[in-house]
Amino acid sequence: VQLVESGGGSVQAGGSLSLSCAGSLFREHWYCVGWFRQAPGKEREGVARIFRRAADIYYTESVKGRFAISRDIVNNTVHLEMNRLQPEDTAVHYCAASTETACLRPGMATSWFGYWGQGTQVTVS
């Protein structure tokens, strides 16, 4: 499956940005889709992921209440709405996909996801 991210950019602290991930095979198969981010000098970390049900949604603690992940089945896209952004949210954000198993485990790990987008920069000043 090919993943293409869009959105991102630069915003002042307290602002909002929206990311989108279009998947070439999202229409044919249900994938566990996640957003990761990697700041300079830091490891890539899981931000949020979604499968089919609201109960399958996971957020890392630092973004709970600020970010919202959703799935647009009609347009084969997964969105990440980011609100009340802070400078520590600055990172390259990546969309990733995997089988449903990745969404059944607690938390997120890069090793659980086999498909990755090219990444999009989010800068908060």
Side-chain angles (χ1 to χ4, degrees):
V1 59
Q2 293 182 323
L3 306 174
V4 179
E5 301 108 333
S6 60
S10 298
V11 67
Q12 291 187 336
S16 298
L17 285 173
S18 181
L19 304 181
S20 296
C21 174
S24 60
L25 294 179
F26 283 179
R27 186 188 300 275
E28 286 78 14
H29 302 286
W30 281 94
Y31 287 92
C32 173
V33 181
W35 285 97
F36 289 77
R37 65 186 180 187
Q38 188 166 19
K42 294 188 176 181
E43 293 187 356
R44 192 170 298 187
E45 66 166 345
V47 176
R49 49 103 164 131
I50 187 170
F51 185 49
R52 294 193 185 201
R53 308 170 302 161
D56 299 326
I57 292 177
Y58 164 88
Y59 296 103
T60 193
E61 193 64 34
S62 62
V63 308
K64 283 182 180 178
R66 300 190 298 125
F67 289 14
I69 190 170
S70 62
R71 197 161 199 146
D72 182 344
I73 298 174
V74 173
N75 294 303
N76 306 316
T77 305
V78 172
H79 301 286
L80 183 68
E81 187 69 28
M82 304 182 293
N83 301 305
R84 305 202 309 273
L85 284 161
Q86 300 300 316
E88 52 265 35
D89 294 316
T90 295
V92 177
H93 285 63
Y94 298 89
C95 176
S98 181
T99 63
E100 64 177 289
T101 303
C103 275
L104 299 179
R105 301 176 177 181
M108 293 176 70
T110 56
S111 60
W112 300 347
F113 292 79
Y115 304 99
W116 293 84
Q118 79 284 358
T120 184
Q121 178 69 45
V122 171
T123 302
V124 186
S125 59

